[in-house]
Amino acid sequence: MYFEVERMSKKLLFIFNPHSGKGLIKNYVVDIVDLMVKAGFEVTIYTTQFQGDAIQKIAQEADRYDRIVCSGGDGTLDEVVTGMLQNGADVPIGYIPAGSTNDFANSLKIPKGMVHAARVAVGENGFPCDIGYFNGDSFVYVAAFGVFTEVSYQTPQQLKNVFGHVAYILEGAKRLNDLSSYQMKFESNGDVIEDRFILGMVTNSISVGGFKGITGSDVKLDDGEFEVTLIKKPKNLMELNEILASLTNLIDDTDLIYTFRTSEIHFSSEEKIPWTLDGEFGGEHDDLLIKNLKQKVTIFVPPEGDEETEEDSHLVEFGDDLLFSDNK
């Protein structure tokens, strides 16, 4: 009896969005919780009820647990991290990706299969990951403004579920002719530059919107630096094509795109500009400080040599979409 009490002394909060992706987390809850219990955790389950619910839950209760495991899209992970920072706790996080794109999970090589990801989440291979400070708020892997950035939080969830990250492309293409631009000044690394921009991204990820390589090469998620991409407003169709060619080929060979790394950047503008944080609306700002909080949060990742098998993943890949097998 003493052994059982000792074995179950670690407390784990399993918080998940039951509607993320195709809602398939519901098919794996029993297997996932069984893994958690076998790993020696006393498990509390909480399903999020509305946007921002995870922030409130974690902010109020994070310090009551030894580990927090969340499942949903990158937005769900963002809420958990935001709540953690508000609580001031230092509780390690496991992540079971269930969204339509899962940029950050892919960057950390977290398995796509939910059961395999759960095994990683209750493991011991913690990774101290950088987090972004954003005017008192936080983000996990991307803060952005301008064309395309409205796509992820304006794309209907049903469209995301069916087409995966292809939905981002479809919605983005409809906005190509809009090309809203903003007169902004940014200060970073001792430089002060003013220009008119159609897009800006401050990232800590290997991919954004499902596109690998768009944030540059040799990206590290624990080096205390962000990758910054700022795209100037093109003056004509030729310049627009130059920008698109550079983005398509993932080669920085144009003066119309600023790319650099920094631990801190300050933006200012005459008008309030809408931003997105990890694919969700991040408010409108005319004065904004973004800082890298180096290795602020520990997230569990697969150990070296931990290869995902089809049996583990319960899915197969078909093109850009993920098709789940009948093996539930």
Side-chain angles (χ1 to χ4, degrees):
M1 181 63 69
Y2 174 80
F3 171 76
E4 289 296 321
V5 173
E6 183 69 15
R7 186 174 70 86
M8 299 293 287
S9 62
K10 297 182 294 182
K11 295 183 181 297
L12 182 151
L13 174 62
F14 179 30
I15 181 168
F16 63 90
N17 179 353
H19 306 295
S20 282
K22 297 179 176 68
L24 284 167
I25 183 67
K26 301 170 188 176
N27 297 331
Y28 298 100
V29 169
V30 172
D31 290 337
I32 289 171
V33 173
D34 185 57
L35 273 173
M36 293 171 173
V37 173
K38 283 183 168 61
F41 290 101
E42 178 183 339
V43 183
T44 299
I45 299 175
Y46 185 84
T47 57
T48 58
Q49 303 298 304
F50 50 84
Q51 186 172 347
D53 191 18
I55 297 176
Q56 295 181 22
K57 181 72 173 179
I58 301 301
Q60 294 169 3
E61 301 184 12
D63 51 1
R64 302 180 189 177
Y65 296 94
D66 301 291
R67 185 168 305 190
I68 293 170
V69 176
C70 65
S71 182
D74 289 330
T76 301
L77 177 62
D78 175 277
E79 288 194 11
V80 168
V81 170
T82 297
M84 186 83 70
L85 296 180
Q86 290 181 9
N87 182 282
D90 185 19
V91 182
I93 297 172
Y95 181 33
I96 303 171
S100 54
T101 303
N102 303 314
D103 286 303
F104 195 65
N106 292 335
S107 296
L108 291 174
K109 299 181 180 179
I110 294 175
K112 297 180 179 69
M114 290 185 175
V115 175
H116 193 177
R119 193 174 297 123
V120 171
V122 297
E124 298 299 330
N125 195 43
F127 175 76
C129 186
D130 298 346
I131 297 297
Y133 168 91
F134 183 93
N135 265 17
D137 202 343
S138 64
F139 63 94
V140 175
Y141 76 98
V142 60
F145 70 87
V147 65
F148 295 126
T149 62
E150 296 179 351
V151 170
S152 56
Y153 61 80
Q154 288 190 356
T155 303
Q157 184 63 43
Q158 186 178 7
L159 184 60
K160 287 186 187 179
N161 292 347
V162 174
F163 293 110
H165 76 250
V166 176
Y168 295 90
I169 304 172
L170 296 176
E171 287 291 311
K174 291 193 300 188
R175 290 171 170 78
L176 271 178
N177 293 328
D178 295 348
L179 285 181
S180 299
S181 62
Y182 305 97
Q183 185 68 34
M184 303 178 70
K185 177 173 73 173
F186 71 84
E187 304 169 63
S188 181
N189 299 328
D191 296 323
V192 180
I193 296 177
E194 289 191 65
D195 221 317
R196 197 159 192 90
F197 299 100
I198 61 171
L199 171 69
M201 300 190 303
V202 181
T203 62
N204 191 45
S205 177
I206 293 173
S207 68
V208 174
F211 299 102
K212 292 184 178 180
I214 196 170
T215 58
S217 60
D218 194 30
V219 174
K220 293 182 173 59
L221 308 186
D222 61 348
D223 61 357
E225 288 193 318
F226 291 124
E227 285 67 42
V228 180
T229 303
L230 298 168
I231 303 178
K232 295 167 60 174
K233 180 182 179 180
K235 297 177 181 177
N236 49 52
L237 184 59
M238 185 178 297
E239 288 192 348
L240 175 59
N241 288 334
E242 184 179 328
I243 290 170
L244 293 176
S246 181
L247 293 176
T248 301
N249 298 323
L250 301 177
I251 300 174
D252 182 14
D253 58 356
T254 173
D255 293 334
L256 298 169
I257 301 178
Y258 295 95
T259 57
F260 56 92
R261 292 178 177 170
T262 186
S263 60
E264 182 174 317
I265 186 168
H266 176 248
F267 290 96
S268 57
S269 57
E270 293 185 0
E271 61 179 312
K272 289 187 177 293
I273 298 172
W275 284 72
T276 174
L277 303 179
D278 297 331
E280 304 293 337
F281 183 58
E284 298 184 344
H285 305 269
D286 57 10
D287 192 81
L288 176 63
L289 178 63
I290 297 177
K291 295 192 296 185
N292 186 294
L293 305 179
K294 185 176 182 180
Q295 301 181 8
K296 184 67 174 178
V297 173
T298 297
I299 299 177
F300 290 96
V301 299
E304 289 288 336
D306 182 9
E307 298 294 334
E308 183 171 40
T309 66
E310 186 174 323
E311 180 181 0
D312 278 331
S313 67
H314 292 186
L315 58 79
V316 293
E317 291 195 73
F318 184 79
D320 289 324
D321 298 323
L322 296 177
L323 303 179
F324 285 74
S325 74
D326 292 329
N327 183 9
K328 307 297 187 199

